[in-house]
Amino acid sequence: MDILIIDDERSIRNTLKDILETEGYSVAVAEDGAKALDLLKVEKFDLIFCDVKMPKMDGIEVLTNIKKENPEQTVVMISGHGTIDTAVESLKLGAFDFIEKPLDLNRLLVCVRNGLERKSLVQETKTLKKKLSKDVVMVGHSPAMEHLRSVIERVASSNAKVLITGENGTGKEVVAKMLFKSSNRSNCPYVEVNCAAIPSELIESELFGHEKGSFTSAVKQRIGKFEQANGGTLFLDEIGDMSLAAQTKVLRALQEGEITRVGSDKSVKVDVRVFAATNKDLLEEIKKGNFREDLYHRLGVILIHVPPLRERLEDIPDLVEHFLGIICEEQGVTKRSFTKDALEEMKKYRWTGNIRELRNAVERMVILCGEEITVDDVKQFAAPTSL
């Protein structure tokens, strides 16, 4: 990770450089704002420390110029003459943090870790947005799909929490991403958590973060998903598999707009819109004592049910055509086609795995069949078989 230090005091520059290089970071220095801006024209840095009081060009001016050229650059302001007004002005202009001199070592290193994690999250969000704009599409024109689109259009621009239900493979994740793309937070972080894939003993740390030393393997502070999604959207997939202990903390976060990291007694304010999804009947889970009723009502401000494929069989030709384009490109083969009779045959299957199963079937036939896929091909290869 590359860090730039901008400070007119040589002793401060050298001390910071030595500390950060000892921690394994690559560090460059600049003695004034003009030299720093020249350096930024030819080099990129993951994190910048900038003094406020400097001759020629003060730190606020340097910050303004940096943010003008690169709005996503992470900048931490430092000052020995700090005032609340200066700190507030810095943060309004886009500074990530403000630290007063003399610098506290622990405060400094925590700020570095948080700043670098923030940069990493920004990059992940940009990558995800590119993927969203390319891959997320709702295919089909059945009445069920038109209704689903209508609901998404009405709900997306609100700040309401959404609970998405449906069988495995129906496309609940796609609905969440479509909601995000159309929301007022579409330029903010979008963070996904698969609650079923995280061991119950680690889910609290994953969601809320932890402090260094809070448990055996906590070798450094970790920022949780709620904080990573601050200002944006958090998608809790498979929420029905979350432990009751974690459910309690999620409920508090939703009610009070704040979280507490594992091993800490300090609360952190968060502004997060939450989408949740499950393939379970949460009302039945509540009766069994596996899910909190108050959390269900907190999450389910808006309930969206994604219909199974068997309830929209008329969408199968559109889905097949959509998957053919994607799969043939991935496999590097010429575009395949289904005969009309083959598509009709596809409508006769139950598709218990829903859209996910349908996609697998199309991919199997692209690989194993000729350029025109027939009724016989569907009968032989639509269902998985041993070769």
Side-chain angles (χ1 to χ4, degrees):
M1 293 294 186
D2 296 323
I3 298 175
L4 173 62
I5 300 166
I6 312 169
D7 200 303
D8 60 314
E9 296 184 54
R10 179 180 295 176
S11 60
I12 295 292
R13 294 197 306 270
N14 291 341
T15 299
L16 272 175
K17 188 173 188 293
D18 290 343
I19 291 171
L20 294 173
E21 286 182 339
T22 300
E23 293 293 317
Y25 301 110
S26 175
V27 183
V29 297
E31 62 191 55
D32 60 53
K35 290 183 178 178
L37 294 177
D38 287 340
L39 185 58
L40 285 166
K41 291 177 182 177
V42 295
E43 291 190 43
K44 292 184 178 181
F45 295 91
D46 300 299
L47 181 64
I48 297 173
F49 283 97
C50 182
D51 191 20
V52 173
K53 297 293 184 181
M54 293 186 292
K56 300 180 183 178
M57 184 187 297
D58 70 17
I60 297 298
E61 188 178 353
V62 175
L63 172 64
T64 302
N65 278 277
I66 290 173
K67 286 292 182 177
K68 184 179 179 180
E69 293 298 319
N70 183 4
E72 294 175 351
Q73 177 68 63
T74 304
V75 182
V76 176
M77 304 303 291
I78 54 178
S79 177
H81 312 280
T83 65
I84 293 177
D85 289 343
T86 305
V88 170
E89 184 181 5
S90 299
L91 295 174
K92 282 184 176 179
L93 290 171
F96 173 71
D97 206 346
F98 185 96
I99 304 178
E100 291 186 276
K101 298 177 183 176
L103 301 176
D104 176 82
L105 179 59
N106 289 331
R107 172 86 169 85
L108 173 72
L109 295 179
V110 167
C111 182
V112 170
R113 286 196 294 270
N114 289 348
L116 293 175
E117 283 190 4
R118 184 255 183 195
K119 179 183 182 298
S120 176
L121 179 62
V122 168
Q123 289 300 119
E124 288 177 11
T125 300
K126 286 174 68 176
T127 301
L128 179 59
K129 283 177 182 174
K130 288 180 182 178
K131 187 173 184 293
L132 284 175
S133 62
K134 180 181 178 182
D135 296 339
V136 179
V137 59
M138 294 184 68
V139 179
H141 295 88
S142 63
M145 289 305 293
E146 294 298 348
H147 173 71
L148 190 56
R149 286 192 184 90
S150 174
V151 171
I152 290 172
E153 185 178 341
R154 296 199 305 271
V155 170
S157 60
S158 74
N159 203 37
K161 300 169 188 66
V162 181
L163 178 60
I164 307 165
T165 61
E167 298 176 6
N168 280 328
T170 51
K172 298 185 292 296
E173 183 181 353
V174 172
V175 171
K177 289 177 179 177
M178 291 294 291
L179 284 165
F180 169 70
K181 278 181 63 179
S182 303
S183 74
N184 297 329
R185 299 183 181 227
S186 59
N187 291 321
C188 302
Y190 179 78
V191 179
E192 299 175 306
V193 182
N194 186 334
C195 301
I198 304 170
S200 58
E201 65 271 16
L202 297 178
I203 186 69
E204 290 185 43
S205 171
E206 186 74 16
L207 291 175
F208 309 111
H210 62 249
E211 298 294 346
K212 180 180 178 180
S214 56
F215 50 87
T216 305
S217 58
V219 295
K220 66 176 183 178
Q221 184 192 62
R222 176 188 175 88
I223 302 300
K225 299 298 187 183
F226 266 89
E227 282 185 84
Q228 290 178 26
N230 193 25
T233 303
L234 179 65
F235 176 47
L236 299 174
D237 199 8
E238 305 297 351
I239 187 76
D241 292 281
M242 182 180 288
S243 69
L244 286 169
Q247 289 177 37
T248 302
K249 285 200 169 186
V250 169
L251 179 64
R252 177 177 178 269
L254 299 181
Q255 287 176 330
E256 302 179 16
E258 60 184 31
I259 58 96
T260 303
R261 299 184 193 126
V262 176
S264 173
D265 56 1
K266 295 181 180 179
S267 296
V268 179
K269 289 286 185 183
V270 289
D271 171 24
V272 176
R273 185 182 187 187
V274 174
F275 301 149
T278 182
N279 63 352
K280 294 186 174 181
D281 183 338
L282 291 187
L283 294 178
E284 283 298 319
E285 295 300 307
I286 290 168
K287 291 179 183 178
K288 295 175 184 177
N290 297 329
F291 201 83
R292 294 186 60 122
E293 185 174 6
D294 45 5
L295 178 58
Y296 171 80
H297 291 299
R298 181 66 63 169
L299 289 170
V301 176
I302 303 292
L303 296 172
I304 296 180
H305 181 70
V306 186
L309 187 55
R310 63 182 174 274
E311 293 180 7
R312 56 185 189 104
L313 294 175
E314 61 265 52
D315 288 332
I316 284 181
D318 289 339
L319 286 164
V320 168
E321 184 64 24
H322 173 69
F323 290 139
L324 278 175
I326 294 173
I327 293 165
C328 290
E329 182 178 347
E330 289 176 349
Q331 297 292 335
V333 299
T334 56
K335 182 71 180 293
R336 304 294 199 253
S337 64
F338 277 66
T339 66
K340 185 176 180 180
D341 289 343
L343 288 174
E344 288 301 315
E345 184 68 23
M346 294 282 279
K347 294 180 183 180
K348 296 178 182 178
Y349 286 74
R350 284 188 52 79
W351 303 113
T352 54
N354 292 293
I355 296 173
R356 188 178 297 128
E357 183 185 3
L358 176 68
R359 189 194 192 283
N360 290 345
V362 174
E363 183 168 6
R364 187 159 51 246
M365 286 182 275
V366 165
I367 294 170
L368 298 175
C369 304
E371 290 191 10
E372 185 177 69
I373 297 169
T374 66
V375 172
D376 290 338
D377 292 327
V378 172
K379 290 179 177 178
Q380 184 176 2
F381 296 116
T385 56
S386 299
L387 298 178

